Amino acid sequence: MPKARETAVYTHGHHESVLRSHTWRTAANSAAYLLGSLEPHMTVLDIGCGPGTITADLAALVPDGHVTGVDHAPGILDQARATAAERGLTNVDFAVADVHALDHPDDTFCVVHAHQVLQHVGDPVQALREMARVTRPGGLIAVRDSDYAAMTWFPASAGMDDWLELYRRVARANGGEPDAGRRLKSWALRAGLTDVTATSSTWTYSTAEERAWWSGLWADRTVASAYAERVTGDGHATEEGLRAIEAAWRDWGRQEDGWFAVLHGEILCRKPA
């Protein structure tokens, strides 16, 4: 039987406005639920590593072990390698991979980690089966994904309501599931995992600097990224509609009492020994 392959389109692309967010991510702000389980000797697979900031943090936390970062997009891996090199890390390597059909033998890694990945893939249950396959008995599968429907902000904004409705519609048309955070436990159980601990955590943006950064990257992403091209090219919205959403983001960013929270679901799954 042929191996399953990725069928979803990555909604965000790798525009500068996207990488502005991705390079901000660290193990501390994006994988805290996993860090207490890491030991210096461990081997780790970081799926969907992107520009490699989390991957590099994980490598620093397992100095006697090794981390392999993989991504479906070959172009981003040069940046990931540069990130590791800048930090002087020698226990990390990078490769192209499809999470539905990983190029690793069974029982290879102590930890298999994926951050903001399953929301973008065509078959998250198959992805989790593959993650479990390459995890050693007694090892951990660690997954964290945001949940767009649970994102919330103040003050209210009709334009940002339009943004959320549009993004969720486009992400689903691309084959993904933007409300992945709430589904992680269900997907893990469907994948045959039985020892599943489900938690949640948030990113919150409320200071003037945080609001400017978060609103700015989403405003830019709305009109200047691969997402914008797909939205207009596939007829989900007009350029005028996107400019209105851009303006709503920038207006929210200027509000002194502005506040935005991103809810994430998390799962730690222990593979039976």
Side-chain angles (χ1 to χ4, degrees):
M1 180 181 295
K3 289 184 176 181
R5 292 290 178 184
E6 180 60 272
T7 57
V9 174
Y10 180 48
T11 297
H12 295 293
H14 291 97
H15 184 264
E16 182 277 330
S17 59
V18 178
L19 295 181
R20 204 182 311 164
S21 171
H22 290 184
T23 54
W24 166 84
R25 298 173 183 174
T26 66
N29 68 29
S30 300
Y33 71 105
L34 167 63
L35 302 189
S37 300
L38 295 180
E39 298 179 17
H41 67 278
M42 285 182 163
T43 54
V44 180
L45 177 65
D46 186 27
I47 295 173
C49 66
T53 52
I54 296 175
T55 320
D57 284 352
L58 295 174
L61 291 167
V62 292
D64 302 323
H66 191 87
V67 177
T68 296
V70 298
D71 203 282
H72 198 243
I76 198 62
L77 294 178
D78 286 341
Q79 186 168 343
R81 292 185 183 102
T83 298
E86 287 167 6
R87 301 192 192 183
L89 296 165
T90 58
N91 64 331
V92 59
D93 69 294
F94 297 93
V96 177
D98 182 344
V99 68
H100 298 91
L102 295 167
D103 295 323
H104 301 283
D106 295 358
D107 306 338
T108 299
F109 298 96
C110 302
V111 176
V112 178
H113 168 263
H115 183 265
Q116 308 284 40
V117 172
L118 294 191
Q119 64 183 280
H120 298 296
V121 307
D123 189 344
V125 175
Q126 170 61 19
L128 282 162
R129 290 192 187 107
E130 271 294 274
M131 292 172 72
R133 180 185 66 77
V134 301
T135 302
R136 294 177 181 174
L140 288 170
I141 301 97
V143 179
R144 185 176 191 255
D145 265 277
S146 56
D147 193 298
Y148 276 77
M151 292 185 188
T152 189
W153 58 84
F154 183 87
S157 166
M160 288 174 63
D161 289 341
D162 291 343
W163 159 75
L164 183 57
E165 186 278 328
L166 176 65
Y167 179 85
R168 293 172 73 224
R169 177 155 43 89
V170 172
R172 290 194 171 115
N174 285 342
E177 175 46 71
D179 305 341
R182 69 189 64 193
R183 291 173 163 83
L184 295 182
K185 181 179 178 180
S186 175
W187 288 340
L189 295 175
R190 287 168 56 193
L193 296 163
T194 55
D195 186 350
V196 181
T197 300
T199 55
S200 63
S201 61
T202 61
W203 291 334
T204 304
Y205 307 101
S206 64
T207 68
E209 181 181 21
E210 290 166 348
R211 292 194 314 272
W213 180 78
W214 185 242
S215 64
L217 69 85
W218 268 108
D220 291 345
R221 193 180 303 188
T222 296
V223 296
S225 68
Y227 166 75
E229 295 171 5
R230 293 187 183 110
V231 167
T232 55
D234 293 344
H236 294 289
T238 63
E239 290 184 10
E240 181 181 8
L242 290 183
R243 285 194 296 270
I245 291 173
E246 175 198 18
W249 268 110
R250 296 197 190 281
D251 180 67
W252 172 82
R254 290 188 291 268
Q255 303 306 307
E256 184 178 359
D257 57 352
W259 178 92
F260 197 110
V262 180
L263 178 70
H264 296 81
E266 303 158 343
I267 52 171
L268 269 181
C269 311
R270 181 78 63 180
K271 183 172 177 178

